Amino acid sequence: MVYVVWGSTYLAIRVVVRSLPPMGAMGLRFVVAGAILAVAVAVGSGWRTLRVTRRELRAGAVIGVLLLVCGNGGVALAEKTVPSGLAALLVAAMPLWLVLLRRLSGDRPQALTLAGTFVGFAGIAVLARPGGHGGQVQAWGIVVILVGTGCWAIGTFLSPRLGLPANPFVGTTVEMLSAGLVMLVLSVLLHEWNGFQPAAVPAEAWWSLAYLVVFGSLLAFTAFVWLVGHAPLSLVSTYAYVNPVVAVLLGWAVLAEPVTAVIAVGGGLAVLGVFLVVAGERPRPAAP
């Protein structure tokens, strides 16, 4: 679920934004997913479980904006011009940004982790090189994805420090609903709905949006939360270099997105860098 479904969300987003407003569609996605998750939590544990303090609400809103509005919303905006496979490869830089944030905070990552960071950013530099994808990919889209990925890394870095709700599903409900509402407001401010005609939207766009709600935002995340509690983090982290490969293959097979030499070389370096970072962060066996 985490490997394939999360990897396929880039393809689904690409299909959605060809016909639907990017921020508006992602806002609907997270408001609906957050409401469904809230009902599921209430049915399973009681409505009182959803009670949060002001600090928890504020923390959830901040993390939701960083991860979902800037991160996911940025990807949706950018995929108006950036192919889904390339977007996934650029997002793969997230663990690399985390290493830099840890280094700035005084942490000393392993040598292998630093080497992987260098290799990974070399791959990102190849992917983001101006003119490297011809005139079909606009530079602003690549910049938006890289900024959004940095925001996602900052949100991930701050998550354990801001006082989120102890129940991860309650925290995610707050994040989804907060981010979804912010996206809907931004969509109105950006005039995304001016001239919008629902009847002109093809069925594949609506089905892709439903797929993002059910599979991308609910099932895949639930699987991820379960894995975090039942599997080594070194194993869970491998999604970071599997998702881009899945996204590139699906984009090529379904939407005929070209796999150019730049994508092959830059993407290969980026995935290799993330692989080295994950390997460097793997817990060492205890001495006898």
Side-chain angles (χ1 to χ4, degrees), residues 7 11 84-85 242-257 259:
L11 172 65
S84 60
V242 175
N243 281 176
V245 176
V246 171
V248 169
L249 291 176
L250 287 176
W252 167 77
V254 179
L255 297 180
E257 295 178 350
V259 181

Side-chain angles (χ1 to χ4, degrees), residues 153-166:
I154 293 172
T156 303
F157 184 76
L158 293 177
S159 289
R161 296 168 171 81
L162 292 184
L164 290 168

Side-chain angles (χ1 to χ4, degrees), residues 132-149:
H133 305 280
Q136 299 174 344
V137 178
Q138 298 182 23
W140 68 264
I142 293 178
V143 172
V144 167
I145 291 178
L146 291 177
V147 172
T149 302

